[in-house]
Short mmCIF file of all heavy atoms in Angstrom, two decimals:
data_model
loop_
_atom_site.label_atom_id
_atom_site.label_comp_id
_atom_site.label_asym_id
_atom_site.label_seq_id
_atom_site.Cartn_x
_atom_site.Cartn_y
_atom_site.Cartn_z
N SER A 39 14.84 -15.39 25.85
CA SER A 39 14.30 -14.19 26.52
C SER A 39 15.21 -12.99 26.28
O SER A 39 14.74 -11.88 26.04
CB SER A 39 14.17 -14.45 28.03
OG SER A 39 13.26 -15.51 28.27
N ASN A 58 5.57 7.28 13.77
CA ASN A 58 4.24 7.90 13.84
C ASN A 58 4.14 9.07 12.87
O ASN A 58 3.23 9.89 12.99
CB ASN A 58 3.95 8.37 15.27
CG ASN A 58 3.91 7.22 16.26
OD1 ASN A 58 3.29 6.19 16.00
ND2 ASN A 58 4.59 7.38 17.38
N ALA A 77 10.75 28.30 -10.89
CA ALA A 77 11.86 27.56 -11.50
C ALA A 77 11.53 26.09 -11.70
O ALA A 77 11.92 25.49 -12.71
CB ALA A 77 13.12 27.69 -10.66
N GLU A 79 9.05 22.42 -9.98
CA GLU A 79 8.06 21.86 -9.08
C GLU A 79 8.47 20.43 -8.75
O GLU A 79 9.15 19.76 -9.53
CB GLU A 79 6.66 21.89 -9.70
CG GLU A 79 6.54 21.19 -11.03
CD GLU A 79 5.19 21.42 -11.69
OE1 GLU A 79 4.53 22.43 -11.36
OE2 GLU A 79 4.80 20.58 -12.53
N TYR A 89 5.06 -2.61 -0.59
CA TYR A 89 5.75 -3.54 -1.47
C TYR A 89 6.63 -4.49 -0.67
O TYR A 89 7.07 -4.16 0.44
CB TYR A 89 6.61 -2.79 -2.48
CG TYR A 89 5.82 -2.06 -3.53
CD1 TYR A 89 5.15 -0.87 -3.24
CD2 TYR A 89 5.72 -2.55 -4.83
CE1 TYR A 89 4.41 -0.20 -4.20
CE2 TYR A 89 4.99 -1.89 -5.81
CZ TYR A 89 4.34 -0.71 -5.48
OH TYR A 89 3.61 -0.06 -6.43
N ALA A 95 8.70 -5.94 4.06
CA ALA A 95 7.65 -4.97 3.71
C ALA A 95 8.26 -3.59 3.60
O ALA A 95 9.02 -3.16 4.47
CB ALA A 95 6.56 -4.99 4.79
N TYR A 102 9.70 13.23 -7.67
CA TYR A 102 9.80 13.64 -9.07
C TYR A 102 9.96 15.16 -9.13
O TYR A 102 9.20 15.90 -8.50
CB TYR A 102 8.54 13.23 -9.84
CG TYR A 102 8.54 13.67 -11.28
CD1 TYR A 102 9.41 13.10 -12.20
CD2 TYR A 102 7.68 14.67 -11.73
CE1 TYR A 102 9.43 13.50 -13.53
CE2 TYR A 102 7.68 15.08 -13.05
CZ TYR A 102 8.55 14.49 -13.95
OH TYR A 102 8.57 14.90 -15.26
N ASP A 151 21.97 -4.77 1.13
CA ASP A 151 22.00 -6.04 1.85
C ASP A 151 22.41 -5.74 3.30
O ASP A 151 23.59 -5.70 3.64
CB ASP A 151 23.01 -7.00 1.19
CG ASP A 151 23.11 -8.34 1.91
OD1 ASP A 151 22.48 -8.51 2.97
OD2 ASP A 151 23.84 -9.22 1.40
N GLN A 153 21.84 -7.42 6.01
CA GLN A 153 22.31 -8.56 6.80
C GLN A 153 23.84 -8.69 6.72
O GLN A 153 24.50 -9.03 7.69
CB GLN A 153 21.65 -9.86 6.30
CG GLN A 153 20.13 -9.86 6.40
CD GLN A 153 19.63 -9.98 7.82
OE1 GLN A 153 20.41 -10.06 8.76
NE2 GLN A 153 18.31 -9.98 8.00
N ASP A 172 26.23 -0.34 9.58
CA ASP A 172 24.86 -0.70 9.94
C ASP A 172 23.90 0.44 9.62
O ASP A 172 24.23 1.62 9.79
CB ASP A 172 24.76 -1.01 11.44
CG ASP A 172 25.48 -2.30 11.82
OD1 ASP A 172 25.69 -3.14 10.93
OD2 ASP A 172 25.83 -2.45 13.01
N SER A 179 15.60 7.82 1.99
CA SER A 179 15.28 7.13 3.24
C SER A 179 15.87 7.84 4.44
O SER A 179 15.29 7.83 5.53
CB SER A 179 15.77 5.68 3.18
OG SER A 179 17.18 5.63 3.13
N LEU A 184 14.85 10.71 9.53
CA LEU A 184 14.91 11.92 10.37
C LEU A 184 13.52 12.37 10.82
O LEU A 184 13.38 12.98 11.87
CB LEU A 184 15.60 13.05 9.61
CG LEU A 184 17.12 12.90 9.43
CD1 LEU A 184 17.65 13.99 8.52
CD2 LEU A 184 17.83 12.94 10.77
N ARG A 185 12.50 12.04 10.03
CA ARG A 185 11.14 12.40 10.43
C ARG A 185 10.68 11.61 11.66
O ARG A 185 9.71 12.00 12.31
CB ARG A 185 10.17 12.17 9.27
CG ARG A 185 10.28 13.23 8.19
CD ARG A 185 9.35 12.98 7.02
NE ARG A 185 7.95 13.01 7.40
CZ ARG A 185 6.94 12.82 6.54
NH1 ARG A 185 7.20 12.59 5.25
NH2 ARG A 185 5.69 12.86 6.95
N LYS A 191 14.22 16.15 22.25
CA LYS A 191 15.27 15.59 23.11
C LYS A 191 16.65 16.14 22.78
O LYS A 191 17.63 15.77 23.42
CB LYS A 191 15.27 14.06 23.00
CG LYS A 191 14.00 13.41 23.53
CD LYS A 191 14.07 11.89 23.40
CE LYS A 191 12.80 11.24 23.96
NZ LYS A 191 12.85 9.76 23.83
N LYS A 232 13.48 24.04 12.99
CA LYS A 232 14.45 24.51 12.00
C LYS A 232 15.68 23.59 11.99
O LYS A 232 16.27 23.31 13.03
CB LYS A 232 14.89 25.94 12.32
CG LYS A 232 15.80 26.54 11.26
CD LYS A 232 16.13 28.00 11.57
CE LYS A 232 17.06 28.58 10.50
NZ LYS A 232 17.40 29.99 10.77
N LYS A 244 26.70 27.95 -0.84
CA LYS A 244 27.46 29.02 -0.22
C LYS A 244 27.61 28.78 1.29
O LYS A 244 26.84 29.29 2.09
CB LYS A 244 26.76 30.36 -0.48
CG LYS A 244 27.61 31.57 -0.16
CD LYS A 244 26.86 32.83 -0.56
CE LYS A 244 27.66 34.08 -0.28
NZ LYS A 244 26.94 35.31 -0.68
N GLU A 246 28.70 26.20 4.87
CA GLU A 246 28.31 24.98 5.57
C GLU A 246 26.81 24.92 5.87
O GLU A 246 26.20 23.86 5.85
CB GLU A 246 29.10 24.88 6.88
CG GLU A 246 28.89 23.60 7.65
CD GLU A 246 29.70 23.56 8.93
OE1 GLU A 246 29.30 24.22 9.91
OE2 GLU A 246 30.75 22.88 8.96
N LYS A 263 9.04 24.57 4.23
CA LYS A 263 9.81 25.64 3.58
C LYS A 263 11.29 25.26 3.57
O LYS A 263 11.80 24.70 4.54
CB LYS A 263 9.62 26.96 4.31
CG LYS A 263 10.30 28.17 3.65
CD LYS A 263 10.03 29.42 4.45
CE LYS A 263 10.68 30.64 3.82
NZ LYS A 263 10.11 30.97 2.50
N GLY A 282 -3.15 13.01 2.60
CA GLY A 282 -2.77 11.69 3.11
C GLY A 282 -1.79 11.69 4.26
O GLY A 282 -1.17 10.66 4.54
#
Side-chain angles (χ1 to χ4, degrees):
S39 298
N58 297 314
E79 57 188 23
Y89 289 75
Y102 178 69
D151 179 355
Q153 299 288 0
D172 291 338
S179 66
L184 287 173
R185 285 178 62 179
K191 295 180 179 180
K232 186 176 179 180
K244 193 176 181 179
E246 185 180 77
K263 184 179 181 65

